Amino acid sequence: MAAKAGFAIVTPASKGLGFAFARHLLANTPLPVVATARTDCDAVKGRLLDRWDRSGSGDRDRDLEKRLTVLQVDVTDESTIKNMTSTIRDTLPDTPLRLALTVPGILNVEKSPAQIDAAAALDSFRVNSLGPMLLMKHLSAFLPAKSAAAFPEQEARDGQLGLPGHAIYAMMAARVGSISDNGFGGWYSYRASKAAVFQLAKTFDLFLRTRSKERALAVAMHPGTVQTDFTRDYQDGREMLTPDESAAKLLRVICGMGPGVNEGRGRCWDWKGEEVLP
């Protein structure tokens, strides 16, 4: 029996980098794409589909709409994640997860310890650390086991994204979560909550090395400084990327990563393909 091509998930995908990831996967892969939003799922689906050049064929438009599903998820509410996975099982039965991009994040800025607010800091950890952990908990069952057939590979040509024969589970870290790279301080809750993602990616990948062997790997990502509402107050002359640029570059990096133990799995990689050390 031929191996199934699998599906991709981007959570959340309502705006910014997540939106760009979902759009890129729709345009440059044949995979069904599950995107999530906290609210207004129909509106998010409409915006994702409305961003295309309508000079193309109606068949292409119908294919995009058929492949895209937008589900309601709030990573601080585990019941919504459970509901999402139930819907995936119903709508994509026996279809393995091939590419996961989990990108939740909020930023509360504290320049000094005196500015730390307990409630705001707790929100940072709930979204930036616990959110990815709960997504991992419920999505891990969709990743292929070691006995599963390899996915059919897709070559990177004619604008298409190269897809390897193994699954990739990627979660969004940040360079400011790196302890070894911290030269300026501040941003206490954001740095600490994003540092946890380095550990999550490593720990989850160790699990996959036993459960899935070379059929699945986990990595963390750093997108660069991206021009979004999230970074509006911190675009201080540094090298900037649009969400589309960052998404395309990150996808090329992680999809070019092999499943061997010395090929990058379990570590954090930036959009240039350079490792971000913990």
Side-chain angles (χ1 to χ4, degrees), residues 9-27 33-37 40-52 68 70 101 103-104 172 226-228 242-248 251:
I9 186 166
V10 183
T11 177
S14 55
K15 60 183 179 179
L17 192 58
F19 186 94
F21 274 136
R23 186 177 66 177
H24 195 83
L25 292 173
L26 283 170
V33 176
V34 177
T36 78
D40 299 327
C41 292
D42 289 342
V44 171
K45 183 172 184 177
R47 290 199 303 272
L48 284 165
L49 295 174
D50 280 347
R51 294 291 294 271
W52 303 101
L68 176 63
V70 182
L101 300 160
V103 297
M172 190 61 65
V226 183
Q227 297 169 354
T228 65
T242 67
D244 287 341
E245 289 171 338
S246 179
L251 283 169

Side-chain angles (χ1 to χ4, degrees), residues 49-261:
L49 295 174
D50 280 347
R51 294 291 294 271
W52 303 101
D53 178 1
R54 290 305 187 180
S55 63
S57 70
D59 288 344
R60 181 172 187 256
D61 290 345
R62 285 189 291 272
D63 173 68
L64 292 171
E65 185 167 5
K66 182 179 178 180
R67 288 195 292 119
L68 176 63
T69 301
V70 182
L71 301 177
Q72 192 267 327
V73 169
D74 179 341
V75 297
T76 66
D77 181 351
E78 188 175 3
S79 69
T80 67
I81 301 174
K82 290 180 180 178
N83 291 339
M84 172 191 69
T85 56
S86 295
T87 302
I88 292 172
R89 289 190 181 94
D90 291 340
T91 57
L92 295 168
D94 302 317
T95 303
L97 176 56
R98 186 168 188 174
L99 180 58
L101 300 160
T102 62
V103 297
I106 60 170
L107 170 61
N108 293 301
V109 176
E110 311 100 349
K111 295 182 179 180
S112 72
Q115 293 178 320
I116 296 171
D117 176 82
L122 183 58
D123 282 343
S124 293
F125 280 92
R126 291 180 69 202
V127 174
N128 299 342
S129 306
L130 184 58
M133 193 184 305
L134 292 174
L135 289 167
M136 178 185 69
K137 170 186 174 181
H138 292 280
L139 291 173
S140 61
F142 292 94
L143 291 168
K146 57 190 175 185
S147 59
F151 293 112
E153 296 186 18
Q154 174 179 297
E155 293 185 25
R157 62 182 182 183
D158 300 327
Q160 293 293 288
L161 176 67
L163 292 173
H166 55 270
I168 302 161
Y169 192 99
M171 52 189 79
M172 190 61 65
R175 190 179 298 279
V176 296
S178 165
I179 296 171
S180 62
D181 193 69
N182 185 354
F184 298 99
W187 293 26
Y188 292 86
S189 60
Y190 187 72
R191 286 187 188 275
S193 60
K194 281 297 185 179
V197 180
F198 287 75
Q199 187 69 279
L200 286 174
K202 175 67 174 181
T203 304
F204 188 40
D205 187 68
L206 289 171
F207 169 79
L208 292 176
R209 292 185 198 187
T210 299
R211 177 190 180 273
S212 302
K213 291 193 179 294
E214 294 190 347
R215 290 289 172 260
L217 61 83
V219 293
M221 305 176 288
H222 169 63
T225 305
V226 183
Q227 297 169 354
T228 65
D229 292 343
F230 192 77
T231 61
R232 178 179 295 146
D233 296 330
Y234 311 101
Q235 299 171 9
D236 51 359
R238 68 188 73 190
E239 186 174 12
M240 300 294 298
L241 296 170
T242 67
D244 287 341
E245 289 171 338
S246 179
K249 291 174 184 294
L250 276 172
L251 283 169
R252 283 197 295 270
V253 169
I254 64 175
C255 287
M257 196 164 294
V261 294

